[in-house]
Amino acid sequence: MSTLTVSKHFVEASLSGAERLGLDSRTLLQEAGISPDLLRIDMARVSSDQFSRLMQVIWNRTGDEFMGMGPRKARTGTFATMCALVINCQTLEEVYEQAFRFSRLFEPMVSMELEVNEDNARLVARIEGEIHDPSYFLRESILVIWHRLGSWLIGQPVELEKAEFSYPRPEHGDEYRHIFHCPLAFDSDCTALTFSKRFLSAPVIRDKPEMRQFLKTSPADLLSRPDESNTWTGRIRGLIGRDFSKPMPDFDWIAQELHTSPQTLRRRLKQENTSFQEIKDLLRRDMAIYYLSHQELPINDIAERVGFTEPSTFHRAFKKWTGVTPGAWREGERGDLAE
């Protein structure tokens, strides 16, 4: 069970290329198990499972892994072929070099190029030709997929030191904090991810059977389910857990469990663009959304499950998180949202 959620923005952005190709977005959403009515809520979110299914639906219907946004079509199977090549690499550095050589076989090229200097390494986006990416979804996806594929191959998240974007901060820029967990820079001269070059020597620990299993749901899962296991945010989420019927652990206890001081932990969370309070709020929000999708659960019971003793307090908190009441959210999921 995944309780992570994805912003409505990314749902609509992912559909822009398919719509440009003449496909009906409502049909695609329904096929992925997403109510089009839910997206009428300004701050709507969908589950990571739904978003993963939507990615697969779009790729299948367009026959294009660039989803109609690239300078050319990337036929279904392109990503899997690249993965079949890089699984034979010995280190992460070889992975990124081999992946770039593979991507250069296609013209115009859409890829990430590895640059290494004395202090760190960078993956720099190389996109030739005209793209159709008004919401930046294609560019975001390329960064996320290359970063998380590399992390999966070496069995540990590649900790980012900086994420740069060659475009102005978009309206949904706040979401980037939870995607990249590092300092962000917009209006840069390139779109790139910077990390310590020590990761380049990390060995590839996956084998071909694992890759075959991985490809059954990827790259959709790479986009919808970030691996936060080696981030401070992810560790805290793990310690808090999902049972909010018990008192939530306090910050000092969390710091002690992570073998660090409260001051250091606050600094680490600031570097990851978040805070302890935000982590708790987003966990509760995502759990509430998950439970609301189970239509048989009374809303008052859901309030208790996510740690609210008073239903009215839960209603206020949920409206602050999403802009609507729990009841209106559930109506949107059912397709019964009033005009």
Side-chain angles (χ1 to χ4, degrees):
M1 177 191 77
S2 174
T3 55
L4 293 172
T5 63
V6 178
S7 166
K8 158 189 169 176
H9 163 81
F10 296 110
V11 175
E12 294 178 334
S14 70
L15 290 164
S16 64
E19 291 170 342
R20 195 177 69 86
L21 296 175
L23 296 176
D24 180 58
S25 59
R26 289 183 66 87
T27 302
L28 298 174
L29 288 167
Q30 289 165 343
E31 192 172 339
I34 299 171
S35 165
D37 260 16
L38 181 64
L39 300 188
R40 289 167 49 199
I41 297 172
D42 287 342
M43 298 167 68
R45 303 184 73 83
V46 302
S47 73
S48 59
D49 290 332
Q50 289 173 313
F51 189 66
S52 183
R53 287 197 298 270
L54 179 62
M55 294 297 94
Q56 292 168 325
V57 167
I58 295 172
W59 286 319
N60 290 336
R61 292 292 171 264
T62 61
D64 179 10
E65 292 183 357
F66 292 155
M67 299 172 284
M69 303 179 203
R72 58 173 170 81
K73 196 171 188 176
R75 295 188 184 279
T76 305
T78 303
F79 177 76
T81 303
M82 183 180 78
C83 288
L85 288 173
V86 301
I87 195 63
N88 296 311
C89 294
Q90 298 299 307
T91 66
L92 182 63
E93 184 168 16
E94 287 183 32
V95 165
Y96 284 141
E97 289 175 346
Q98 179 76 289
F100 179 68
R101 285 195 293 269
F102 172 79
S103 300
R104 286 187 64 208
L105 296 174
F106 303 90
E107 191 175 1
M109 178 177 65
V110 178
S111 188
M112 296 283 285
E113 184 175 10
L114 180 66
E115 295 181 351
V116 185
N117 58 40
E118 279 188 23
D119 301 319
N120 50 41
R122 288 205 311 172
L123 280 174
V124 183
R126 304 295 187 206
I127 301 176
E128 300 172 345
E130 183 182 356
I131 59 175
H132 312 277
D133 190 26
S135 300
Y136 310 106
F137 186 81
L138 177 65
R139 282 162 281 186
E140 295 162 355
S141 298
I142 291 166
L143 266 64
V144 169
I145 288 171
W146 278 63
H147 174 235
R148 292 178 184 166
L149 172 62
S151 298
W152 180 81
L153 285 166
I154 64 172
Q156 59 175 309
V158 176
E159 299 170 30
L160 298 176
E161 296 177 357
K162 187 178 183 182
E164 299 171 81
F165 308 92
S166 62
Y167 47 84
R169 182 185 179 92
E171 288 185 13
H172 65 285
D174 195 56
E175 293 286 337
Y176 283 33
R177 296 188 298 118
H178 310 297
I179 297 173
F180 299 105
H181 296 290
C182 67
L184 309 171
F186 296 93
D187 285 317
S188 295
D189 59 358
C190 64
T191 295
L193 300 175
T194 301
F195 53 93
S196 170
K197 67 179 184 181
R198 66 183 170 85
F199 288 103
L200 295 179
S201 59
V204 173
I205 65 168
R206 307 296 183 177
D207 57 24
K208 290 181 180 179
E210 285 178 297
M211 179 61 82
R212 283 194 292 271
Q213 186 65 32
F214 171 81
L215 287 171
K216 289 181 179 179
T217 55
S218 289
D221 275 3
L222 295 179
L223 289 171
S224 61
R225 293 186 183 89
D227 181 2
E228 295 181 328
S229 58
N230 202 39
T231 64
W232 294 97
T233 301
R235 292 172 198 167
I236 292 172
R237 285 175 72 108
L239 285 171
I240 293 173
R242 295 172 175 164
D243 185 1
F244 298 110
S245 61
K246 303 173 186 175
M248 196 171 286
D250 64 27
F251 191 71
D252 288 345
W253 181 87
I254 292 283
Q256 187 176 353
E257 288 296 302
L258 294 175
H259 308 291
T260 187
S261 69
Q263 295 85 350
T264 298
L265 186 54
R266 285 192 186 89
R267 189 168 65 251
R268 299 293 187 195
L269 291 179
K270 187 176 181 180
Q271 289 170 345
E272 291 185 2
N273 300 313
T274 190
S275 66
F276 184 53
Q277 186 61 52
E278 183 175 44
I279 291 170
K280 292 189 293 182
D281 287 344
L282 297 188
L283 263 173
R284 280 177 155 169
R285 179 201 67 191
D286 287 354
M287 287 300 298
I289 290 172
Y290 170 78
Y291 286 131
L292 283 167
S293 69
H294 294 71
Q295 301 285 337
E296 74 282 1
L297 284 176
I299 289 175
N300 285 359
D301 287 359
I302 293 172
E304 188 175 345
R305 289 190 183 208
V306 295
F308 289 89
T309 54
E310 294 292 332
S312 59
T313 309
F314 170 60
H315 279 248
R316 285 195 299 273
F318 192 82
K319 190 165 185 179
K320 179 182 176 184
W321 296 330
T322 66
V324 296
T325 63
W329 185 278
R330 181 165 271 179
E331 287 169 5
E333 285 203 319
R334 286 199 303 254
D336 296 335
L337 196 63
E339 292 292 343

